[in-house]
Amino acid sequence: MALQAVQKKPECDAIACQDCGLYQLCLPMGLNSADTMLLDRYVKRKRIVKRGQILYRLGEEFTCVYAIRSGSVKTYISTADGRLQITGFHIPGELLGLSAIDEKRYNCEAMALETTSVCEISLNCFEELARQIPSVHYQMLRMMSKEIKHNQNLMLLLGKKNAEERLATFLLTLSKRFAMRNYSATQFNLSMSRGDIGNYLGLAEETVCRILTRFQEEGLIASERRRIALNDLERLGSIAHEPYSGVTRALPRVRVSHSR
Amino acid sequence: MALQAVQKKPECDAIACQDCGLYQLCLPMGLNSADTMLLDRYVKRKRIVKRGQILYRLGEEFTCVYAIRSGSVKTYISTADGRLQITGFHIPGELLGLSAIDEKRYNCEAMALETTSVCEISLNCFEELARQIPSVHYQMLRMMSKEIKHNQNLMLLLGKKNAEERLATFLLTLSKRFAMRNYSATQFNLSMSRGDIGNYLGLAEETVCRILTRFQEEGLIASERRRIALNDLERLGSIAHEPYSGVTRALPRVRVSHSR
DNA sequence: CGCCCTGTTGAATCTGGTCAAACTAAGTGG
DNA sequence: CCACTTAGTTTGACCAGATTCAACAGGGCG
């Protein structure tokens, strides 16, 4: 039954897995080599988009999901009067576009932050894939569930955290995502501008700068332009005030908090 | 193929559909009477929770999804130091808990805002249901896709809108959801407190009050405590600055906006 | 009937935004 | 290769919207 995850050991090798984010969808299902072969057939086109180019537009017909191979992408929505809100930054190994399933139209716009290579998987192929390997459906549910959780944490950040907490949270979240993909957790470069970071976190560009300098003065980080090093994950963590995970015990005593 | 929605006319009657939110999952699939019968078998328990009682806790094992029959529920997450962020208000006909699928634990806490009646559908039953009616999977994807879109709009609100815009957006969104379920779009009562509204919108309780009074002075609404009437949907809409839908043309000229 | 919770209003404070300007890095074209 | 342009980043001064603190009013429930 698809709803119960098959938890065999994955057998496709790490290189192939890193090569294309589509594997992320199937890896946790424990595909055998045959399935992995099968998978390869469904990756139709590889596409390169340059910095600033659009991968898909808001409202455009939902035709493909995209798996990022290298580079990075931002997704954003906007008010009718033109204010943008960046809803996510996406790095290699991540899958894009799935949430368009309901309306058959992309519900955000995706723009490359740097030269980016993606796999395009057409919807038809994807459906065929799900027919061949039923637990793909379950895997899709898991990924969307993960995205919902991520978005809820972002809502907590936007609704309740102050500027310092937002920046610290942002840096640590990035760090964890890089670490998960075997990149350095303490040293990486930001493919997005200060403006983008501010936009994403609900802060002004200037505030982002000021707080980064403050972090630097306090020895928490070292940053020069896009290059950044996290020198004190510990202290950053205590600044960030991560969401409560709830595994140890019930929620802490309710403090019907106002924001901030 | 499940990914392609079956778009037959629904055949189960409206009363049954309103009776239990589970139908919402199946309605758009165009179930025939036999399937509808089948569905009934999977609704195991009905449960009544009183105001302030918890439906499920954060981190608790994912055992059931809940369909709201009557009343209303708030869901929220929190920082480790006890600040809460309400992530959603839920009204009759809506389904709760689906996003726990990834981690097999509820990723938020759900509390009744008033005396509320829900259907508990155990995961096992749900899986059995999906086995019997394959497009249930597809329907789940659609619902989660819808939730993601909703959350993104909330991120836009929290990141870029000022207090007036937030309140106007909130009232209109509620109005639309009520209208969709054949309740009045212009007159309803808020089951949540001013504090809850403020928490949800990233504002202080006092700010919510002040702006509601301002709206009332300007004749946009009439409100006395929990009872509210929207007198000028038009003008509320222009205050709200709804998200750009993207159907007519490309995104408006980029204005790399700071927040507020 | 009185207490308590929710909602409302006022005044002071402050975080973070806006505006302006300088500076740096990276292109770009002559 | 260099002057020039452009985009991105940083810092300072000032300001405004929203929060905080506080006091009070009114309903509803025990």
Side-chain angles (χ1 to χ4, degrees), chain A residues 13-32:
Chain A
D13 61 320
I15 296 107
C17 294
Q18 280 205 333
D19 193 45
C20 172
L22 182 56
Y23 291 100
Q24 200 211 330
L25 185 68
C26 306
L27 240 192
M29 300 182 314
L31 292 187
N32 54 34

Side-chain angles (χ1 to χ4, degrees), chain A residues 16-138:
Chain A
C17 294
Q18 280 205 333
D19 193 45
C20 172
L22 182 56
Y23 291 100
Q24 200 211 330
L25 185 68
C26 306
L27 240 192
M29 300 182 314
L31 292 187
N32 54 34
S33 312
D35 281 347
T36 309
M37 294 286 116
L38 190 63
L39 208 53
D40 276 325
R41 283 224 303 280
Y42 292 110
V43 180
K44 282 299 182 237
R45 285 193 295 168
K46 285 165 189 161
R47 187 170 145 194
I48 307 279
V49 284
K50 287 213 281 280
R51 171 186 160 73
Q53 286 185 335
I54 305 282
L55 207 55
Y56 53 79
R57 289 188 183 281
L58 174 69
E60 203 176 280
E61 196 198 348
F62 178 38
T63 53
C64 305
V65 293
Y66 295 89
I68 303 179
R69 292 161 51 85
S70 67
S72 52
V73 170
K74 65 176 172 184
T75 47
Y76 49 90
I77 57 176
S78 78
T79 59
D81 66 332
R83 281 170 288 179
L84 300 185
Q85 172 70 42
I86 295 175
T87 53
F89 299 113
H90 309 274
I91 61 177
E94 298 184 342
L95 211 60
L96 237 61
L98 256 191
S99 67
I101 253 188
D102 176 46
E103 303 191 323
K104 315 254 181 302
R105 304 184 167 283
Y106 295 108
N107 50 28
C108 60
E109 195 156 304
M111 181 187 284
L113 288 167
E114 59 195 313
T115 301
T116 295
S117 162
V118 297
C119 296
E120 260 182 357
I121 307 118
S122 88
L123 256 200
N124 294 334
C125 291
F126 212 68
E127 290 175 5
E128 176 63 23
L129 178 65
R131 185 153 35 210
Q132 304 273 348
I133 311 171
S135 50
V136 160
H137 263 156
Y138 172 72

